[in-house]
């Protein structure tokens, strides 16, 4: 693995590390009764902010693929993510969501003409098991709507991840991140207002929480994520397994808890499956036709 590829892997790892804290920020600082509105407020300002940094408005002739990516990665995924987070224990939502690398492996077959690597399938299953061992409480309650939202959310982001590899030459990672956040947020906002209405007047705690979600948990983290896909391909989804690990570690630190043998085994499986999934990546580097735009503004 080249030095550039290694540096991109480590930079991309920051994205799920930031995401791992968003569940705690959402449940502790924001109104959980308005998950769709929180998702829209998280995405739209982040996209506008990134557009102001240089990309500007999206090109009209690319609006359709950008809208599809924005819906898959942002509009649909964010909405389902916050619905799942508001209806499920964190461990259940994280375990279901960790199926994303497995879904990516199979979506790459029809969309990228890339057969799933047997080793990656095993790594994805191991990662799913590792997250379950780490965070799943056998006594946790299962809300049907929450489970459906978590499964659909994992599938939606998996689709968006694969489509970024397929259509990533639309623009630089910064531009593609800005446009999909903006378009996804615009699509989500009217549904949020219709179904949930306006939340109570924000408190200082609410403002701190949403500021973190917009700036760190969304604008910065999604730019790192899209940049990682541009260089590493859709198999970067394996790195997303680190998100529930970070969330669990943060929760344990806040509660003063220690991990038992089963959780330590889960952590080992997560790290092993993440490393195996990336090492077995079949993309390796950006295709020549996509190399020039994909490397701009990195």
């Amino acid at each position: 693995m080249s030095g550039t590829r290694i540096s991109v892997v480590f930079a991309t790892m920051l994205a799920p590390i930031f995401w791992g804290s968003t569940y705690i920020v959402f449940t502790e600082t924001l109104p959980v009764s308005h998950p769709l509105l929180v998702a829209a407020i998280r995405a739209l300002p982040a996209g506008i902010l990134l557009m102001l940094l240089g990309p500007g408005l999206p090109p009209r002739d690319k609006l359709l693929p950008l809208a599809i990516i924005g819906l898959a990665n942002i509009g649909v995924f964010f909405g389902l993510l916050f619905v799942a987070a508001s209806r499920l224990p964190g461990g259940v939502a994280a375990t279901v969501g960790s199926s994303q690398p497995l879904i990516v492996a199979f979506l790459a077959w029809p969309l990228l003409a890339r057969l799933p690597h047997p080793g990656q399938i095993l790594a994805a299953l191991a990662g799913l098991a590792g997250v379950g061992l780490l965070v799943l409480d056998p006594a946790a309650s299962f809300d049907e709507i929450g489970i459906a939202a978590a499964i659909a959310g994992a599938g939606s982001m998996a689709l968006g991840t694969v489509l970024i590899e397929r259509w990533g030459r639309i623009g630089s990672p910064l531009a593609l991140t800005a446009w999909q956040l903006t378009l996804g947020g615009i699509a989500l906002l009217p549904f949020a207002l219709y179904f949930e209405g306006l939340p109570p007047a924000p408190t200082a705690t609410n403002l701190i929480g949403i500021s973190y979600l917009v700036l760190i948990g969304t604008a910065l983290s999604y730019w790192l994520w899209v940049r990682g896909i541009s260089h590493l391909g859709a198999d970067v989804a394996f790195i997303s397994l680190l998100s529930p690990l970070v969330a669990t570690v943060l929760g344990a630190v806040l509660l003063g808890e220690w991990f038992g043998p089963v959780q330590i085994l889960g952590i080992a499986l997560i790290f092993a499956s993440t490393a195996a999934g990336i090492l077995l990546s079949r993309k390796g580097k950006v295709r020549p036709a996509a190399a020039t735009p994909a490397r701009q503004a990195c």
Side-chain angles (χ1 to χ4, degrees):
M1 185 180 290
S2 68
T4 300
R5 184 174 167 84
I6 292 174
S7 65
V8 171
V9 169
F10 278 103
T12 308
M13 287 172 62
L14 292 175
I17 288 175
F18 294 142
W19 295 339
S21 61
T22 58
Y23 176 79
I24 295 175
V25 172
F26 171 58
T27 56
E28 297 299 325
T29 69
L30 296 168
V32 296
S33 59
H34 291 71
L36 295 178
L37 189 59
V38 170
I41 294 174
R42 174 187 177 185
L44 190 52
I48 294 173
L49 174 64
L50 291 180
M51 283 199 299
L52 292 175
L53 294 180
L57 296 174
R60 291 184 180 181
D61 60 331
K62 303 298 183 183
L63 279 177
L64 180 58
L66 286 171
I68 294 173
I69 293 175
L71 283 173
N73 258 340
I74 307 301
V76 174
F77 172 66
F78 273 20
L80 293 172
L81 173 69
F82 282 102
V83 169
S86 66
R87 301 183 70 101
L88 292 174
V92 176
T95 302
V96 176
S98 64
S99 61
Q100 185 189 144
L102 186 63
I103 300 173
V104 164
F106 284 104
L107 286 178
W109 189 353
L111 295 177
L112 300 175
R114 187 166 67 219
L115 290 173
H117 191 293
Q120 286 189 311
I121 299 299
L122 291 175
L125 292 172
L128 179 61
V131 173
L133 290 173
L134 176 63
V135 302
L136 193 58
D137 182 357
S141 59
F142 291 84
D143 177 87
E144 291 82 1
I145 296 177
I147 291 291
I151 294 173
S156 182
M157 188 170 182
L159 174 62
T161 298
V162 174
L163 289 178
I164 287 177
E165 179 177 344
R166 182 183 175 98
W167 294 334
R169 67 192 67 188
I170 290 174
S172 69
L174 178 63
L176 188 54
T177 305
W179 295 335
Q180 66 174 305
L181 284 170
T182 302
L183 293 172
I186 289 173
L188 183 58
L189 184 59
F191 289 96
L193 293 174
Y194 178 79
F195 287 107
E196 297 176 350
L198 293 174
T203 65
T205 300
N206 295 154
L207 293 176
I208 292 172
I210 199 64
S211 296
Y212 176 85
L213 286 185
V214 169
L215 297 175
I216 306 299
T218 305
L220 176 59
S221 64
Y222 269 86
W223 171 71
L224 291 170
W225 187 251
V226 173
R227 180 173 178 265
I229 298 172
S230 298
H231 286 270
L232 306 172
D235 294 327
V236 76
F238 279 91
I239 298 179
S240 68
L241 294 172
L242 298 178
S243 181
L245 172 59
V246 172
T248 305
V249 170
L250 288 175
V253 170
L254 292 175
L255 296 174
E257 296 177 346
W258 295 91
F259 292 134
V262 173
Q263 291 174 307
I264 292 175
L265 175 60
I267 292 173
L269 283 173
I270 291 172
F271 279 124
S273 61
T274 300
I278 295 300
L279 289 173
L280 292 171
S281 169
R282 294 190 173 188
K283 188 168 190 286
K285 60 181 179 180
V286 179
R287 288 189 290 271
T292 300
R295 292 180 185 276
Q296 295 174 358
C298 290

